[in-house]
Amino acid sequence: PEPSELREQQLPNVQVPSVWTATGTVPGYVTDNWLMTFNDAQLEALVLEALAYNTDLAVASARVEQAAGYARLAGSYIYPTVNLLARGGGKGGDSSGVSGVAVFASWELDIWGRARSEREAGSQLYQAAVFDAEYARQSIAAMVAKSWILAVEARLQHALAQEIVRSSEQSLKLADDRLRVGKGDEYDLTLAQANTDSFRDAARQLALGYEQALRALETLLGRYPAAVVEVATTLPAMPPPVPAGLPSELLERRPDVIAAQRKVASAFHRVAEAKAARLPRIALTAGAQNITSDLFVLQNQSSPIVSL
């Protein structure tokens, strides 16, 4: 069923407005190339690297090739099939003295539409695999962008924590100097030492988080997660406001939703194929063979016949 037909069946009394009725939304539609809105050349290069070397995308591409093969196989039953058999029984064969060649052809008359339904089901599954792979590409790109921003944020937080540790160490030294000259007491020195240790522990935790963010990014890139990738020292500029558009339009353009629709369409054709498989198969067959030996020569040629 077409989307318009489904809407008429399920939402007959719903009139969807062309724009948002709520105030404060940005008019327009969501466009492609969202990555360019960050204006970050390094981020764009990392996304391209992930699309080229990510292992999950390699699996998705292999599944597309597999689905393409199944689709070609499903569509092959529409056309005639030809089998060629040959046997050599002379000195170069099995020494039986019998040799020959036979050709057999068969063509199923797809009266009930079984083969056509099977071909269309395979085609829909292939298209679903293509959209699943596209969804994987977009997901990997989004994950790289998110991991990049998280890594930059972790680096900035770690740098800030190191500054706090240096300031705390200066406060500790100042408390020690005040105690030495008689202007401070043991409580101030102990408190300053405890604060310094706490800030050092927080800095270590942020350093670990920074390394984990780098390793997560490198895993997406298909690299060994050694936490050596260089990230920016500042966050990318905020992109312009995202146009609101309509949620239904965003859903209709999502590759995973389109893939699900293709799988449903394939199921419809599988049902039609199963129904047609209960009916008799009608095929045209023909064959010719020539078998010779040291004792006899056998030639046979059959004209096309109809078989059930």
Side-chain angles (χ1 to χ4, degrees):
E2 296 295 331
S4 59
E5 183 181 353
L6 291 176
R7 284 193 294 265
E8 292 177 358
Q9 293 178 358
Q10 304 300 328
L11 304 172
N13 197 35
V14 175
Q15 300 295 329
V16 180
S18 58
V19 296
W20 279 90
T21 57
T23 59
T25 59
V26 180
Y29 300 95
V30 178
T31 59
D32 296 329
N33 296 327
W34 58 269
L35 190 63
M36 305 300 177
T37 59
F38 291 101
N39 195 23
D40 192 328
Q42 191 173 2
L43 173 59
E44 296 173 9
L46 292 178
V47 169
L48 292 177
E49 181 179 351
L51 295 179
Y53 299 105
N54 184 269
T55 54
D56 292 333
L57 288 183
V59 173
S61 299
R63 288 175 178 171
V64 171
E65 296 179 2
Q66 181 187 40
Y70 285 145
R72 288 193 295 269
L73 178 62
S76 63
Y77 297 107
I78 297 284
Y79 306 101
T81 59
V82 179
N83 295 321
L84 175 64
L85 303 177
R87 175 187 177 90
K91 295 182 179 180
D94 56 4
S95 300
S96 64
V98 178
S99 61
V101 62
V103 179
F104 302 96
S106 176
W107 185 20
E108 179 181 351
L109 302 179
D110 191 28
I111 298 178
W112 321 117
R114 184 197 63 82
R116 292 192 299 272
S117 298
E118 183 179 5
R119 180 184 62 177
E120 190 61 28
S123 175
Q124 294 294 333
L125 285 181
Y126 166 69
Q127 295 180 32
V130 171
F131 283 106
D132 281 335
E134 179 61 26
Y135 178 70
R137 286 172 52 87
Q138 295 186 11
S139 299
I140 291 297
M143 291 175 64
V144 170
K146 182 178 180 179
S147 299
W148 167 262
I149 295 176
L150 290 177
V152 174
E153 180 185 7
R155 179 175 183 175
L156 295 177
Q157 290 180 346
H158 181 235
L160 180 60
Q162 288 178 323
E163 293 181 3
I164 294 176
V165 168
R166 287 190 291 268
S167 299
S168 179
E169 290 174 347
Q170 293 176 0
S171 299
L172 176 61
K173 183 177 182 302
L174 181 60
D176 184 63
D177 293 339
R178 288 172 59 85
L179 178 63
R180 189 174 60 255
V181 300
K183 296 295 185 179
D185 52 26
E186 292 289 343
Y187 175 79
D188 293 337
L189 180 61
T190 303
L191 181 61
Q193 182 65 53
N195 289 336
T196 302
D197 293 339
S198 177
F199 292 141
R200 287 172 179 170
D201 180 69
R204 293 189 185 97
Q205 294 294 330
L206 290 173
L208 178 61
Y210 176 49
E211 291 181 0
Q212 291 176 342
L214 294 180
R215 290 191 174 95
L217 179 59
E218 289 169 337
T219 302
L220 291 173
L221 300 178
R223 302 183 186 179
Y224 179 80
V228 296
V229 62
E230 289 291 334
V231 297
T233 57
T234 58
L235 290 171
M238 286 293 295
V242 178
L246 289 177
S248 59
E249 295 172 353
L250 293 179
L251 288 177
E252 289 175 355
R253 60 184 285 179
R254 281 186 53 162
D256 58 332
V257 175
I258 300 177
Q261 292 176 342
R262 296 294 186 269
K263 292 175 183 177
V264 171
S266 176
F268 273 97
H269 293 292
R270 288 298 183 189
V271 171
E273 176 192 356
K275 292 180 179 180
R278 296 180 299 179
L279 302 174
R281 295 188 182 184
I282 302 177
L284 297 176
T285 60
Q289 55 187 355
N290 186 351
I291 301 176
T292 62
S293 72
D294 297 337
L295 300 178
F296 63 88
V297 176
L298 174 63
Q299 293 183 351
N300 179 28
Q301 181 177 0
S302 62
S303 59
I305 62 174
V306 178
S307 62
L308 294 178

